Amino acid sequence: MQPLIDHARNFPAAIADRRQEFAQLAHGQRPLALFISCSDSRVVPSLVTGARPGQLFELRTAGNIVPRYRAQAACGVAAGIEFAVKALNVPDIVGCGHSHCGAVEGLVNRRSVESLPLVQRWLSWAGHRPSPAPTSTSTNHTPTYQETDQDPTTIAQRHLVTQLDQLRSYPCVARRLAAGRLRLHGWFYAVDSGQVLVSSQLSRVFRPL
Ligand code: ZN
């Protein structure tokens, strides 16, 4: 922790030659995009995109999960989306998944989160649960991916596409997409190589950005 404290203490001096740029930030924000990504410490949106202060409105959740819209449910994710879209009028939203995601691992392997009841409840909002092919006696009606032969990257990318689907369930998002006032992007970041892939047409097909 001490290196973080030292850096923060030194920060005003470190940005002394950018005084004007920072002073401007006091007048408001006009971010270029809403960037929805995982809380994972290895995913650093401003580092990947080169965004400067004021350019990215960030929303970070465990597993970059965006719960499906529910009219009566106020939560940090819903509030962040509404504020970015309706108050800040962001022209773009990036939903960004990543490799080696612990939350996606928790969806695949329930035992990895069995001591984390709050995480388990949060993961239930993912809108899917990767699992082996259901048996004929299965009573689980949660949509599942039959991923027994899929690699973790494919599962994580499909997870992202599901979150993009759920994001479109928000009326303010759907309206602006339909009106051509908002663009939606699906990115997938590899934490070990730094490569960003983009979902083609928000589908399960990914290609280099
Ligand atoms: Zn993650």
Side-chain angles (χ1 to χ4, degrees):
M1 184 63 197
Q2 193 56 46
L4 306 180
I5 295 171
D6 291 343
H7 191 277
R9 224 174 240 153
N10 202 38
F11 190 63
I15 61 165
D17 58 346
R18 295 168 62 188
R19 239 179 236 132
Q20 279 287 84
E21 177 190 347
F22 276 77
Q24 276 299 114
L25 297 174
H27 300 296
Q29 57 172 326
R30 291 196 64 186
L32 302 175
L34 163 61
F35 199 96
I36 304 174
S37 60
C38 184
S39 305
D40 193 301
S41 61
R42 298 165 295 181
V43 179
V44 186
S46 60
L47 192 62
V48 176
T49 62
R52 300 175 77 86
Q55 292 187 324
L56 280 189
F57 189 84
E58 285 190 44
L59 186 53
R60 306 193 63 153
T61 74
N64 49 274
I65 288 173
V66 177
R68 184 164 286 280
Y69 172 77
R70 289 182 303 151
Q72 304 304 321
C75 73
V77 177
I81 292 168
E82 182 179 67
F83 188 77
V85 171
K86 296 178 73 172
L88 298 177
N89 292 306
V90 291
D92 291 87
I93 301 179
V94 179
C96 184
H98 71 100
S99 67
H100 307 85
C101 181
V104 174
E105 168 64 17
L107 281 162
V108 176
N109 176 14
R110 296 180 200 203
R111 270 183 299 183
S112 71
V113 292
E114 67 185 357
S115 64
L116 307 171
L118 297 177
V119 171
Q120 288 180 41
R121 286 178 62 188
W122 174 247
L123 294 181
S124 74
W125 294 110
H128 70 96
R129 181 174 283 284
S131 72
T135 64
S136 57
T137 56
S138 172
T139 55
N140 181 0
H141 297 299
T142 303
T144 59
Y145 297 152
Q146 296 168 22
E147 305 283 16
T148 48
D149 57 352
Q150 302 280 5
D151 68 17
T153 299
T154 303
I155 295 173
Q157 289 175 346
R158 289 186 172 189
H159 168 73
L160 168 65
V161 172
T162 302
Q163 305 322 303
L164 298 173
D165 286 343
Q166 300 202 134
L167 178 59
R168 286 190 294 248
S169 71
Y170 287 73
C172 62
V173 172
R175 273 196 298 271
R176 293 195 183 208
L177 285 171
R181 297 172 60 198
L182 184 63
R183 291 177 295 267
L184 189 53
H185 313 262
W187 285 14
F188 189 81
Y189 176 68
V191 299
D192 51 349
S193 69
Q195 186 180 34
V196 177
L197 301 177
V198 62
S199 164
S200 178
Q201 309 285 327
L202 308 179
S203 74
R204 293 177 176 187
V205 178
F206 283 77
R207 55 177 169 74
L209 184 65

